[in-house]
Amino acid sequence: ITQADHLAQSCLSLTKLARLLPAAVLVEMSNVDKLPSVSPDSINAYTSKAASALTLVSEARVPLESAEHAKVLAFRPQYGGIEHLAIVIGDIDVNLPVLVRLHSECFTGDLLGSLRCDCGSQLRGAIDVMAKNGSGILLYLAQEGRGIGLVNKLRAYQLQDVGHDTVDANLQLGFDSDERNYAPAVAMLKLLGVSQVKLMTNNPTKVTALSAWGVDVTERV
């Protein structure tokens, strides 16, 4: 890969971090040392560094309709940024595999009950199962629309209305089919002292991602 290609990819990564459409204009300039700048390596390392810098900033008991014994914990990078949440049901025994679900936030599905997805029913269904099981952790990740953000998800919906499927709509906007990153989930589990999980998912990518980061997935539920 050439230096120009590396720079171009870093520019696209920066636009994605800003929740913008992945498009940029590159202009060769002189006296760049006099301008505020950020290196391509810093841009590309941001997601991993933000995950490794996650810290618990707040927690509270939040009784839920189907799980009265529940609390919500908020995690945020030490230097600021987007918060990720852990919904902890019951009393967790970290010496045993913990029932866990990774749930990407979905404003339209979780809050509005959108018929375009089943995110809301998956969210509430997972909490119900954890309550019946006695305990569990639902990691609510700030990765709306497979990681492209709410505004861009709505743009993708417009493309779906004219015949594109979810994956193709994301590609048409310039994104990958799935922009989610599970490093924050791994960091949150480690902060919670959890190293073994029974993962509630129908997505094998989540199993692979957690395993690659050192989390022992003992079972897929």
Side-chain angles (χ1 to χ4, degrees), residues 11 39 43 47 55 59 97 118 214:
C11 288
S39 71
I43 295 171
T47 300
T55 183
E59 65 177 285
D118 58 357

Side-chain angles (χ1 to χ4, degrees), residues 41-208:
D41 290 340
S42 295
I43 295 171
N44 297 328
Y46 174 82
T47 300
S48 295
K49 286 186 175 180
S52 65
L54 279 179
T55 183
L56 177 63
V57 294
S58 182
E59 65 177 285
R61 186 178 68 86
V62 183
L64 305 177
E65 184 177 8
S66 60
E68 185 174 346
H69 186 18
K71 59 182 178 179
V72 176
L73 293 78
F75 297 84
R76 185 172 59 205
Q78 294 175 349
Y79 44 79
I82 297 174
E83 295 90 4
H84 302 281
L85 305 175
I87 302 171
V88 180
I89 309 297
D91 296 318
I92 303 299
D93 185 349
V94 296
N95 297 309
L96 298 173
V98 178
L99 188 61
V100 169
R101 171 168 169 76
L102 311 185
H103 187 91
S104 299
E105 68 177 346
C106 179
F107 170 77
T108 50
D110 296 341
L111 266 64
L112 304 182
S114 167
L115 299 180
R116 286 184 179 267
C117 66
D118 58 357
C119 297
S121 59
Q122 286 188 16
L123 172 66
R124 287 177 284 277
I127 291 174
D128 290 345
V129 171
M130 290 175 183
K132 292 174 182 177
N133 184 69
S135 65
I137 300 174
L138 187 141
L139 299 181
Y140 196 80
L141 305 173
Q143 303 188 85
E144 180 89 38
R146 294 190 174 190
I148 69 174
L150 178 58
V151 171
N152 290 320
K153 184 174 80 168
L154 296 177
R155 289 171 173 152
Y157 282 171
Q158 290 179 320
L159 292 174
Q160 291 173 31
D161 285 340
V162 295
H164 298 285
D165 63 21
T166 302
V167 171
D168 191 40
N170 281 15
L171 296 176
Q172 288 282 335
L173 292 173
F175 294 98
D176 292 333
S177 59
D178 194 335
E179 294 276 351
R180 287 175 292 185
N181 183 294
Y182 298 111
V186 174
M188 292 161 68
L189 289 173
K190 289 182 178 179
L191 288 169
L192 292 169
V194 175
S195 59
Q196 302 179 79
V197 303
K198 295 183 290 185
L199 192 62
M200 297 181 66
T201 184
N202 59 4
N203 184 350
T205 301
K206 293 183 179 180
V207 177
T208 302

